[in-house]
Amino acid sequence: DGGITQSPKYLFRKEGQNVTLSCEQNLNHDAMYWYRQDPGQGLRLIYYSQIVNDFQKGDIAEGYSVSREKKESFPLTVTSAQKNPTAFYLCASSYVGRGAFFGQGTRLTVV
Amino acid sequence: AQSVTQLDSQVPVFEEAPVELRCNYSSSVSVYLFWYVQYPNQGLQLLLKYLSGSTLVKGINGFEAEFNKSQTSFHLRKPSVHISDTAEYFCAAPRGNQFYFGTGTSLTVIP
């Protein structure tokens, strides 16, 4: 079945560590997105990519990095520079300008 | 300016009553409009979308929405809600290469 897969579902990070969240899609979509969701704040765009080897910062890119080496994959690294990383992270993919399909999310907690 | 505005952050409604969740969009976004539903600790699921054609759009789970260009609105409706409809609902629209979401409406169905 076609879809978008995020892993892991739950992730714990110690202070000062970098962690990488995985996002894979087999929908042949060109565009992929990473969002952060905090209670009461809706979804905020971290990074997005329209094509392989190209990506752009969203509204809250500081402390995050991404890569797009393959069309199917768009991993997100939460670096130690991100001071408040505890949140629910959602990956999505779409044809440009059309509806986005979402993964099931990764809940990141700093311990 | 906010691209997509959801006017109600919380909507309580009794079971089997009708409900309307409001969404207004700005002229800066395209007229592709979407509604998503999110259940706790899950990703977003597409409820319905308006791309063109008939202004009344029917989606999954008995929901429908009407695109109103003169009022720049895309309100979501259901004639009779169930307990299982309790969730967070997001209105969304693309703008350029990005995809913007409203801040969400928490629908609580009261038995």
Side-chain angles (χ1 to χ4, degrees):
Chain A
D1 290 336
I4 182 164
T5 302
Q6 288 186 242
S7 62
K9 188 171 177 66
Y10 298 97
L11 186 58
F12 297 91
R13 191 194 93 167
K14 293 182 180 179
E15 296 278 354
Q17 273 186 338
N18 292 355
V19 290
T20 298
L21 284 60
S22 170
C23 179
E24 303 277 336
Q25 55 101 358
N26 60 4
L27 299 166
N28 200 34
H29 287 163
D30 291 311
M32 296 188 74
Y33 310 83
W34 274 105
Y35 293 90
R36 170 178 170 143
Q37 188 176 28
D38 296 281
Q41 295 195 41
L43 282 76
R44 293 183 289 169
L45 183 64
I46 304 172
Y47 270 96
Y48 65 101
S49 168
Q50 301 298 315
I51 194 171
V52 174
N53 292 324
D54 188 41
F55 46 83
Q56 287 79 42
K57 293 181 179 180
D59 300 320
I60 56 164
E62 185 176 351
Y64 300 97
S65 66
V66 293
S67 63
R68 187 85 186 276
E69 297 177 1
K70 300 185 299 181
K71 188 175 185 179
E72 300 80 16
S73 179
F74 192 42
L76 173 74
T77 296
V78 184
T79 74
S80 57
Q82 171 51 239
K83 297 307 178 187
N84 185 23
T86 295
F88 191 50
Y89 291 88
L90 288 160
C91 180
S93 69
S94 76
Y95 290 116
V96 176
R98 301 298 176 120
F101 289 85
F102 283 81
Q104 290 300 299
T106 293
R107 185 164 297 281
L108 174 62
T109 304
V110 174
V111 296
Chain B
Q2 187 73 16
S3 302
V4 178
T5 303
Q6 291 182 245
L7 300 169
D8 307 297
S9 60
Q10 296 185 0
V11 173
V13 62
F14 286 103
E15 191 175 13
E16 297 183 4
V19 70
E20 178 180 84
L21 306 183
R22 297 182 292 169
C23 173
N24 287 86
Y25 64 92
S26 71
S27 57
S28 63
V29 301
S30 75
V31 288
Y32 296 157
L33 294 161
F34 306 83
W35 274 102
Y36 288 84
V37 60
Q38 184 183 32
Y39 300 102
N41 293 312
Q42 293 188 25
L44 275 68
Q45 180 182 4
L46 182 66
L47 267 180
L48 50 78
K49 59 186 175 185
Y50 172 78
L51 301 180
S52 65
S54 174
T55 57
L56 182 63
V57 180
K58 294 190 183 297
I60 63 172
N61 300 342
F63 284 94
E64 63 181 31
E66 185 163 16
F67 172 68
N68 188 319
K69 188 174 182 180
S70 63
Q71 296 185 9
T72 61
S73 68
F74 190 56
H75 300 335
L76 181 70
R77 301 186 182 99
K78 187 170 182 178
S80 176
V81 295
H82 301 129
I83 295 292
S84 60
D85 292 324
T86 294
E88 191 86 13
Y89 292 81
F90 293 93
C91 184
R95 186 180 78 189
N97 293 327
Q98 299 191 32
F99 207 79
Y100 284 90
F101 290 83
T103 51
T105 297
S106 177
L107 174 64
T108 301
V109 180
I110 304 164

